[in-house]
Amino acid sequence: MEQAKIIEDFPRYDPILIAKLQSTLALEYFIQQQFEQSDAIYNELLAYPERLDALNKPGLFFNYLSNLVNLERYQAVIDFYQAQQAVWEQGTTALYRVHYFLCWAHMGLGNYEAAQDILLLQDLQNRPRYEEFYARTLLSMVYYHLGELIMAERETYNLMQNHRYKLSPEETHYEHLCHIHQFYVLMGQVPNQKRREKLEQLLLQIQTLFDEQQAAASP
């Protein structure tokens, strides 16, 4: 990364090359969970919009929004989405995925009805299976926060059944889905010492899985 910064500051390099380098560097910082450093580079990139036309603009903007979500800058996610409407309208897949970031942002702000509305702007079933899987998992979380526990549990149960009978090819998030479903089931039980112990055990399992996945993602 230090070498990359030196190249970035060297005046004889083309501005487009510098923009591509910055984009790669910002993503590397994101992968290493150095979100503030990543955000600083994204802000430098966005300050020169004329350099962005040679880049994969939707991909770059997705990464930027993802970084903002990790920084819990939820209003910034919503503001940036609204400012870049023309980019999101380039294709339905782009629109689906930016809506996921918007959903996270609205949930982070406690606007659960708005989070539900943004997910349901397009039919959840009229999209690729892996997109449907992720969208309905998010929808289950929205239901939970709206106090609709039965609906939340039903969404995750149906997704697990789809996976079991190979109706969905989704593998990446399946283990996470199982933990989410288990949480909903436990929350539907009578509060007592046994339920508390099971919730603590579930939290430990989730934290262990998260740590393992982070270690595997690190260079």
Side-chain angles (χ1 to χ4, degrees):
M1 289 188 185
E2 290 303 319
Q3 290 88 341
K5 291 294 292 181
I6 292 170
I7 293 173
E8 173 189 333
D9 295 332
F10 202 75
R12 73 180 180 86
Y13 280 89
D14 185 271
I16 301 302
L17 176 60
I18 292 175
K20 292 179 179 180
L21 178 65
Q22 287 177 312
S23 175
T24 301
L25 188 60
L27 182 58
E28 287 297 321
Y29 276 124
F30 172 81
I31 292 171
Q32 294 186 20
Q33 300 184 66
Q34 298 182 46
F35 304 123
E36 291 289 354
Q37 292 92 325
S38 182
D39 183 65
I41 295 173
Y42 280 126
N43 286 328
E44 289 180 20
L45 264 170
L46 296 173
Y48 298 95
E50 67 277 5
R51 298 180 182 179
L52 303 182
D53 290 339
L55 303 179
N56 173 14
K57 196 177 290 187
L60 173 68
F61 288 178
F62 290 150
N63 293 339
Y64 174 58
L65 289 177
S66 183
N67 198 66
L68 287 177
V69 169
N70 278 278
L71 287 169
E72 300 182 4
R73 297 178 184 170
Y74 301 125
Q75 189 58 51
V77 172
I78 296 169
D79 293 342
F80 189 78
Y81 165 79
Q82 293 173 344
Q84 301 295 337
Q85 288 284 354
V87 174
W88 316 129
E89 294 170 359
Q90 291 179 9
T92 53
T93 299
L95 201 58
Y96 296 153
R97 294 183 180 180
V98 75
H99 284 173
Y100 304 154
F101 293 122
L102 274 179
C103 179
W104 281 112
H106 283 302
M107 284 198 292
L109 294 171
N111 302 328
Y112 302 116
E113 286 87 359
Q116 183 179 33
D117 290 343
I118 200 71
L119 280 178
L120 298 180
L121 281 175
Q122 284 88 26
D123 188 347
L124 296 186
Q125 296 182 340
N126 187 27
R127 60 182 73 189
R129 283 286 187 180
Y130 58 88
E131 298 290 350
E132 178 191 356
F133 189 99
Y134 190 76
R136 289 175 61 186
T137 301
L138 276 183
L139 183 61
S140 80
M141 297 178 187
V142 174
Y143 282 145
Y144 172 77
H145 285 292
L146 288 172
E148 300 179 23
L149 183 60
I150 293 177
M151 292 292 291
E153 189 275 333
R154 183 179 299 165
E155 282 292 337
T156 52
Y157 176 80
N158 288 339
L159 287 174
M160 291 168 65
Q161 289 296 102
N162 288 346
H163 181 85
R164 184 172 301 163
Y165 292 105
K166 305 302 180 184
L167 298 177
S168 169
E170 180 58 51
E171 294 287 347
T172 305
H173 301 292
Y174 179 70
E175 193 166 4
H176 299 281
L177 175 71
C178 293
H179 286 132
I180 294 169
H181 176 75
Q182 188 178 353
F183 172 75
Y184 296 150
V185 170
L186 288 172
M187 292 305 295
Q189 297 177 2
V190 177
N192 53 34
Q193 177 69 16
K194 186 175 181 180
R195 188 186 80 159
R196 185 179 67 82
E197 291 174 353
K198 288 182 178 180
L199 284 169
E200 289 176 350
Q201 182 180 16
L202 178 62
L203 178 61
L204 181 61
Q205 291 172 353
I206 293 171
Q207 186 62 55
T208 300
L209 176 62
F210 177 79
D211 292 342
E212 290 174 350
Q213 292 181 337
Q214 288 301 122
S218 299

